[in-house]
Amino acid sequence: MEISYEKAATLKVHPQDSALGFGTYFSDYMFNMDYSPEKGWYNPRIEPYGPLQMDPSTMVLHYGQAIFEGLKAYRTDSGAIQLFRPRDNFKRFNRSASRLCIPEIDEDVVLEALIRLLKIEEKWVPSAPGTSLYIRPTIIATDPYIGLRSSHTYRFFIILSPVGAYYPEGFDPVKIWVTTEYVRAVRGGVGEAKTAGNYAASLYATELANKDGYTQVMWLDGVERKYIEEVGSMNIFFMIGDEIVTPALTGSILSGITRDSVIALAESWGRTVSQRRISIAEIIEAHDQGELKEVFGSGTAAVISPVGRIKYSGREMVVGDGNVGPFAAKLFKELVDIQYGRAQDPFGWVITV
Ligand code: COI
């Protein structure tokens, strides 16, 4: 594929690795490509990072026809750059595209474009411990039209952001807040697609959680409001006695790539992970019987995030002794060791750029 390249007149000053936080800095270049029904995906190009110019009637602004992905590039000790399961991200991207009536992309073409972009932007991959280059592929609907239908034209872009830890807590346990009043998604809706509206839908309850001193919301199912679905920007795992449990993918839960990696790693250690319905009542009972050993979230941005406290219906439960559990710690270490090239990758997850 012929990708055109326009050089930037000036380049940005790189932030200190220690000042990165999450999602505030962006690299010098971005990848862009457009879609029309006549041409399909066309004009792939690497251009200076900059504002998108759009008509106020652009469909994405009104009806939220937008999908995105999140993956990371990691700097290894030898200075090489690695991607973690990028094809899985692009496969999920296409599942989201299909659900949102957006034309699918060619996974090979887009992976090639990403690698090309990363080769140009390689200095933007930070090297301090815990840092990486977060990659955000996105598609938005671009027809200037305010009738309700799916757009005929689209813009695909990839932007790059050097990042540190997602949560200010780093790997310290986060506090989560269960809501029975608000729901994120329902079965048959768009909950399993990585689409902008799911995140917009999560904001109100998240603000209530934050006001109460909690970092994230734990969502229950949209119908009975009994069964656990996911947490904020992560999938969720529980260790109850000896059983490791994560909610089954029922159609309203995001099919996390880190979630899948956790299951594969646990299985490679001879542990099985039950993917089943799990109710908040079962968590309370396990807690009260001293059987709730560990709780942790998984996600690209957050990696593995131990949960120390859960508030439900006015009552706060402390998980284990409130500290990072040994299983979450072992998972975190193994996962990041593979991502940063410090451990063997028997799963074939890593691609060197
Ligand atoms: C990710 O984990 O990559 C996500 O997309 C979550 C986002 C809210 C930062």
Side-chain angles (χ1 to χ4, degrees):
M1 182 190 44
E2 198 55 46
I3 302 174
S4 65
Y5 171 43
E6 181 197 328
K7 274 203 123 173
T10 54
L11 297 181
K12 299 174 185 172
V13 175
H14 286 228
Q16 298 280 327
D17 282 1
S18 57
L20 290 176
F22 188 90
T24 30
Y25 298 101
F26 299 94
S27 74
D28 292 303
Y29 291 93
M30 67 190 290
F31 175 80
N32 279 307
M33 180 163 78
D34 295 295
Y35 179 90
S36 77
E38 302 76 39
K39 297 186 194 161
W41 285 109
Y42 69 100
N43 195 12
R45 56 203 187 274
I46 293 175
E47 296 175 308
Y49 178 98
L52 305 178
Q53 207 180 20
M54 57 173 93
D55 195 289
S57 64
T58 302
M59 290 194 82
V60 67
L61 302 176
H62 301 271
Y63 305 123
Q65 201 189 359
I67 56 168
F68 67 90
E69 270 302 322
L71 65 159
K72 284 174 172 172
Y74 305 86
R75 171 89 58 197
T76 70
D77 291 341
S78 66
I81 295 171
Q82 297 195 153
L83 288 167
F84 184 72
R85 307 187 69 175
R87 279 183 192 283
D88 293 305
N89 284 93
F90 289 127
K91 285 202 175 89
R92 185 174 64 185
F93 199 47
N94 271 339
R95 293 199 298 276
S96 301
S98 162
R99 183 66 181 84
L100 271 291
C101 302
I102 291 173
E104 293 185 16
I105 43 97
D106 180 324
E107 291 155 24
D108 292 323
V109 165
V110 167
L111 183 56
E112 186 191 325
L114 171 60
I115 291 175
R116 202 44 216 284
L117 179 65
L118 287 170
K119 285 191 167 146
I120 293 170
E121 294 292 63
E122 87 55 50
K123 288 202 172 59
W124 281 94
V125 184
S127 57
T131 62
S132 56
L133 187 68
Y134 187 78
I135 300 163
R136 176 53 67 86
T138 305
I139 299 179
I140 56 170
T142 50
D143 280 8
Y145 177 68
I146 55 168
L148 179 60
R149 58 157 169 76
S150 50
S151 182
H152 299 146
T153 61
Y154 296 88
R155 164 70 61 88
F156 171 94
F157 61 84
I158 305 177
I159 55 174
L160 307 174
S161 176
V163 298
Y166 185 68
Y167 293 120
E169 290 92 334
F171 193 57
D172 289 340
V174 295
K175 293 168 66 179
I176 60 179
W177 193 85
V178 186
T179 173
T180 46
E181 200 171 350
Y182 303 100
V183 299
R184 172 188 171 273
V186 288
R187 226 178 282 182
V190 292
E192 75 181 341
K194 208 158 170 66
T195 183
N198 286 333
Y199 296 80
S202 75
L203 298 176
Y204 188 75
T206 306
E207 288 204 353
L208 295 178
N210 294 160
K211 275 191 197 127
D212 201 20
Y214 292 77
T215 317
Q216 293 278 306
V217 172
M218 183 149 84
W219 302 102
L220 302 180
D221 74 278
V223 178
E224 294 177 74
R225 304 196 186 182
K226 280 186 189 162
Y227 299 98
I228 294 160
E229 299 239 303
E230 58 184 77
V231 169
S233 53
M234 308 183 290
N235 294 114
I236 189 84
F237 289 81
F238 302 91
M239 193 186 286
I240 301 174
D242 267 349
E243 188 191 12
I244 308 162
V245 191
T246 193
L249 300 175
T250 51
S252 51
I253 299 175
L254 190 81
S255 171
I257 291 158
T258 314
R259 173 187 183 277
D260 186 68
S261 309
V262 166
I263 294 170
L265 273 173
E267 286 176 355
S268 76
W269 298 331
R271 304 289 303 257
T272 41
V273 177
S274 317
Q275 299 182 58
R276 62 170 174 85
R277 291 223 291 195
I278 177 157
S279 67
I280 187 69
E282 185 179 339
I283 296 300
I284 296 167
E285 193 185 323
H287 169 266
D288 293 350
Q289 292 176 350
E291 290 291 305
L292 186 62
K293 308 285 184 213
E294 294 192 36
V295 180
F296 55 89
S298 68
T300 298
V303 197
I304 298 293
S305 181
V307 172
R309 282 157 200 273
I310 302 173
K311 187 167 181 185
Y312 173 71
S313 210
R315 173 178 173 212
E316 189 182 73
M317 294 176 279
V318 177
V319 179
D321 60 4
N323 294 315
V324 178
F327 190 70
K330 183 174 169 187
L331 271 172
F332 177 77
K333 182 171 185 315
E334 189 60 23
L335 202 52
V336 297
D337 280 354
I338 292 175
Q339 290 168 337
Y340 287 90
R342 294 188 292 258
Q344 286 292 319
D345 168 26
F347 307 96
W349 285 337
V350 158
I351 289 184
T352 303
V353 172

